[in-house]
Structures are given as structure tokens and as C-alpha cells.
Amino acid sequence: MSGAAGVPGRPRVVLGVTGGIAVYKACELLRRFTESGHDVTVVPTAAALRFVGAPTWAALSGRPVAAGVWDRVHEVPHVRIGQEADLVVVAPATADLLARAAHGLADDLLTNTLLTARCPVLFAPAMHTEMWEHPATRDNVATLRRRGAVVLEPAEGRLTGADTGKGRFPEPGEVFALAVDVLARGERAGDLDLAGREVVVSAGGTREYLDPVRFLGNRSSGMQGYALARAAAARGARVTLVAANVTLPDPAGVTVRRVETTAELREAVLAAAATADAVVMAAAPADYRPAGFSDTKIKKAEDGSAEPVALVQNPDILAELSRERPRPGAVIVGFAAETGEPDRSVLELATAKLARKGCDLLVLNDVGGGRVFGSPETEAVVLDRDGGRTPVPRGSKAALAHVVWDRVVARLGA
Ligand code: CTP
């Protein structure tokens, strides 16, 4: 078990690892935590140690491994480790661990730690699809969520054998990013104010094809939408992320639908919006698309001439959502990137856009003065249809994402 009482000022993370094959991915997760200055105590179950041995965990965490309730009993590890933690992450979490945690068993050090921890707890389950879908596991997950734990939805894809389905462990870097997001909320981290809520976020930029190889597109990176999806998952929401041509890894615990065109984006967003409590349109759908599509690659003219490209307008998804209101009471959020005009400020333009689109909240990004897309930082004002304005100072896209969800939660409450 861990000897030192932790390093002052460094967030104390307990990494519980359990006996599934995905436990090798937890080594990468552990590296991310330690390299970014977290003080990590690894608590493996006996089954986890059959996959990855204690020397690996000790070497990567830089601390002795806390494996048993009967080691260093005078330090009362079964109580102290949980009490002192700022965050407990169980990754991977097997069906067996979820069951034991849901029933409050305390038959090893990890389950004791879960009973004594008063900090946020994050489970990243990984198992075969059948086990994840079994009613017993469904009930256990529901119980843990109801008690305030964040239980991520596993990713879909290749499983241990030849089969594929839901049950994969997400990208370790994405589990790390989500854990950091939970920790960054500080005292509010345990307040899962989106638990039981379903939200939809769109991200990225659409492509409108001229022929099989050419398209009209834009420079949206998708980073803000991905930060919004991650922040919602960290606050307990069930999240559908509709991603248009984004190259970032799938956020952990989020269902990702990939689309290319505005028409596909519209279809995916409207389908998911039917049951959603909130829809955030962070994507940049093209306002126009080519009027025609050539099935074969368009050849350039021999004589050096060029044909103008005829365009038609795309449907405005945000305006349609705001008008049709697929689910009454749902909060609809738009984004506006404005440069300002000689006689109208960005705030005036955004206020007019909020009214024109009919959404509930509008996030204004001032993109004038050479501010570029793709930056990890942002600055914004969140406008409320009732006239409220929340300025968000320059900072991370995660920080802005949380302000947006704060405003959404406030409106859902009202
Ligand atoms: N949007 C949408 N469907 C479109 C275009 C935009 O849903 N076809 C959404 C975006 O996701 C964003 C908001 O509308 O949330 C603002 O987009 P913007 O392009 O700034 O608005 P426009 O109405 O196109 O205004 P402008 O004339 O300033 O381009």
C-alpha cells in the first residue's frame, strides 16, 4: 500500500484497476496522471494483478502498490486511502467490480476504498457486450449513477476476441481528459447536475461535395464541441456527439455519430433531439452547397475557361430546432462567430442573431482582430434569450463548456 501521505498541492487520485484485459490500457492512463503532476495510488484487485503485475504499477506510479487490506494494517489503508482521495477512477471497471460496488461489498481494498471515499468517483467499464447489456449490470450501473458516480458508457468497436460491439475501453487519453475535467470542477465535481439528462452536441465543419473528390468546407476543428461533450459526460449526462469531419479521438463515455454534409448533420441532430433535454449546435454547417453534384470527377476546361459554381442555401438547423422544438422544454443553444461591422458591434450582431434564430442561449465568439480557429483557448459571452449576459474570460474550451452547461442547467431548472 502507499506509504507517503501524498505530496501537498498535487491532486490525489486513486486509480482502481480490475481484472479485465483492458487493464493494460490503464498503464497509459496512469502515465498520463503521473506525468501531469497527479499523486496516484494504484489499488489493483487480485484479478487485475493476474493481467498486469504490481511492479508495473509501482514503477509507473512511483509509489508502492496498495493491494491488500492486510498489508500495513497499522496505517488503516482500507479507510485512509479513500478518505484522502480527491478523485477515485476505476478503469477498467469489470461487471464484477460494478456489482460489488453497487451492493456496497467490502471484500477487498478497492471496494473498501469506494465505501470510504467522499470525493467524485469515475468508473470506466469495459467488458463484453453481453455482460454490459445484462439486466444485472444495467441495474448496478443505474444504482451507481443514482448515488452520484460517473459511470461512462463503454466505447463501441473490436472486443477481445473476434467480436465487435459495445464494451471497449475508451482511448486512455480521453479517460484522462474526462477525469481532469471532473477534478477541475473542484468542489462542484460531485454535483452531477446533468445526471439523468440526455444532451446532443454537434461539432466540426460540414463538407459540401462538388464531385467525388472535391468539397466546399470550413476550418472548424471541432474542439469546442468535443469539450462540450466531455464536460456534459463529466456532469453525468448521456451524450450524443454529432461530429462533422473531426479528426479528434472520440471523447470517453460519449456516443459519437459521424457525418459529412449539412444534410447528414441535420438528420442526425434532429433524430437525437427528439429525446434530448438540450441541444448545443457548436458545429459550423455550411450555409450553402453546390446546386449540383457530378458523379464523376470534374475535368478542367482545355481552353483555360472556368465555370462559376452555382450554390443553393442549406437548411438552418438551429433555426429549425428552435422553431419546431422536437422536445418541449429542451434548451437549444447556438454559437455565433462574429467579426463585428463598422456600425454594429459583435454584441449587437449576436443579440440580433439570437432573436433571429429563436434559440434559448447563444455563445458569442469574437473572431475579429486575427483570432484564429483551432486554438485551444477561447473567450466568449453567453447570451440568454431573457437578456442575461455571462462574459467568459479567456481560458480553456473546457472552462467555456462548463459555463454553457451552467446556463443550460439554470434554464432546465427554471
Ligand atoms: N447553423 C445551423 N445550420 C446552418 C448554419 C448554422 O444550425 N445551416 C448554426 C450553427 O451551428 C451555429 C449558429 O447556427 O450554432 C450560427 O451560425 P452562423 O453561421 O454564425 O449563423 P448564420 O445564420 O449563418 O449567420 P451569418 O449570416 O452571420 O453567417
Side-chain angles (χ1 to χ4, degrees):
M1 59 141 287
S2 73
V7 182
R10 284 167 60 180
R12 276 174 296 203
V13 176
V14 170
L15 177 61
V17 292
T18 71
I21 184 63
V23 69
Y24 76 92
K25 295 185 182 175
C27 299
E28 171 68 21
L29 176 61
L30 173 55
R31 261 201 106 89
R32 301 271 185 141
F33 276 122
T34 51
E35 283 176 1
S36 54
H38 297 80
D39 183 6
V40 189
T41 300
V42 180
V43 183
T45 61
L49 291 175
R50 299 188 67 144
F51 286 98
V52 177
T56 302
W57 303 117
L60 290 176
S61 67
R63 309 188 59 162
V65 169
V69 281
W70 303 111
D71 301 333
R72 303 176 74 135
V73 175
H74 62 288
E75 291 177 353
V76 206
H78 73 289
V79 176
R80 191 181 52 76
I81 294 173
Q83 281 177 339
E84 291 180 351
D86 296 310
L87 175 70
V88 177
V89 181
V90 184
T94 55
D96 177 70
L97 185 280
L98 295 173
R100 290 190 292 135
H103 289 273
L105 300 191
D107 51 356
D108 63 8
L109 188 58
L110 180 54
T111 44
N112 274 276
T113 299
L114 288 168
L115 283 181
T116 52
R118 292 295 174 267
C119 60
V121 179
L122 173 64
F123 293 93
M127 63 196 73
H128 269 78
T129 312
E130 291 83 351
M131 297 175 90
W132 175 249
E133 289 177 347
H134 193 282
T137 307
R138 307 300 331 131
D139 283 353
N140 293 330
V141 167
T143 300
L144 292 167
R145 284 180 175 156
R146 185 165 39 76
R147 291 188 194 135
V150 178
V151 186
L152 298 180
E153 291 290 314
E156 284 186 34
R158 183 79 194 266
L159 301 172
T160 321
D163 41 353
T164 60
K166 193 163 189 172
R168 262 177 79 86
F169 189 74
E171 282 299 312
E174 287 300 311
V175 177
F176 169 72
L178 197 125
V180 168
D181 205 303
V182 171
L183 264 175
R185 292 193 77 216
E187 295 195 341
R188 297 187 57 203
D191 175 17
L192 299 178
D193 50 9
L194 288 172
R197 300 287 190 181
E198 199 177 314
V199 306
V200 182
V201 178
S202 71
T206 62
R207 292 177 177 178
E208 307 298 334
Y209 282 89
L210 289 150
D211 68 18
V213 295
R214 301 187 184 93
F215 57 81
L216 302 177
N218 63 68
R219 292 173 55 191
S220 177
S221 67
M223 284 164 66
Q224 185 62 65
Y226 274 52
L228 279 154
R230 192 183 291 125
R235 291 165 81 142
R238 251 179 311 139
V239 188
T240 300
L241 175 61
V242 182
N245 310 297
V246 182
T247 53
L248 304 168
D250 290 356
V254 166
T255 303
V256 182
R257 302 263 175 263
R258 296 194 173 278
V259 298
E260 284 197 83
T261 64
T262 297
E264 290 167 1
L265 182 75
R266 175 179 171 275
E267 199 173 314
V269 167
L270 291 182
T275 51
D277 297 288
V279 184
V280 182
M281 286 294 298
D287 286 328
Y288 295 92
R289 66 178 184 279
F293 173 75
S294 167
D295 289 332
T296 54
K297 192 178 162 204
I298 300 167
K299 295 289 180 194
K300 65 174 173 287
E302 296 289 337
D303 62 3
S305 66
E307 289 291 319
V309 177
L311 299 174
V312 290
Q313 266 203 21
N314 272 327
D316 187 320
I317 306 162
L318 178 62
E320 184 175 348
L321 282 167
S322 305
R323 193 176 57 244
E324 305 294 331
R325 298 276 165 179
R327 175 154 184 211
V331 180
I332 312 288
V333 186
F335 270 72
E338 304 287 355
T339 58
E341 290 171 2
D343 55 341
R344 290 175 90 194
S345 70
V346 287
L347 214 48
E348 285 169 323
L349 289 168
T351 306
K353 187 170 283 182
L354 174 63
R356 192 167 68 243
K357 301 254 186 183
C359 52
D360 303 304
L361 298 168
L362 190 79
V363 184
L364 163 64
N365 284 128
D366 183 348
V367 292
R371 292 176 190 85
V372 291
F373 289 92
S375 158
E377 293 225 312
T378 189
E379 183 179 350
V381 181
V382 183
L383 284 76
D384 198 295
R385 66 180 302 167
D386 302 328
R389 287 175 184 182
T390 311
V392 186
R394 188 144 204 85
S396 69
K397 293 192 170 176
L400 173 57
H402 280 295
V403 175
V404 172
W405 292 122
D406 287 346
R407 303 311 312 145
V408 168
V409 167
R411 287 202 71 92
L412 283 172

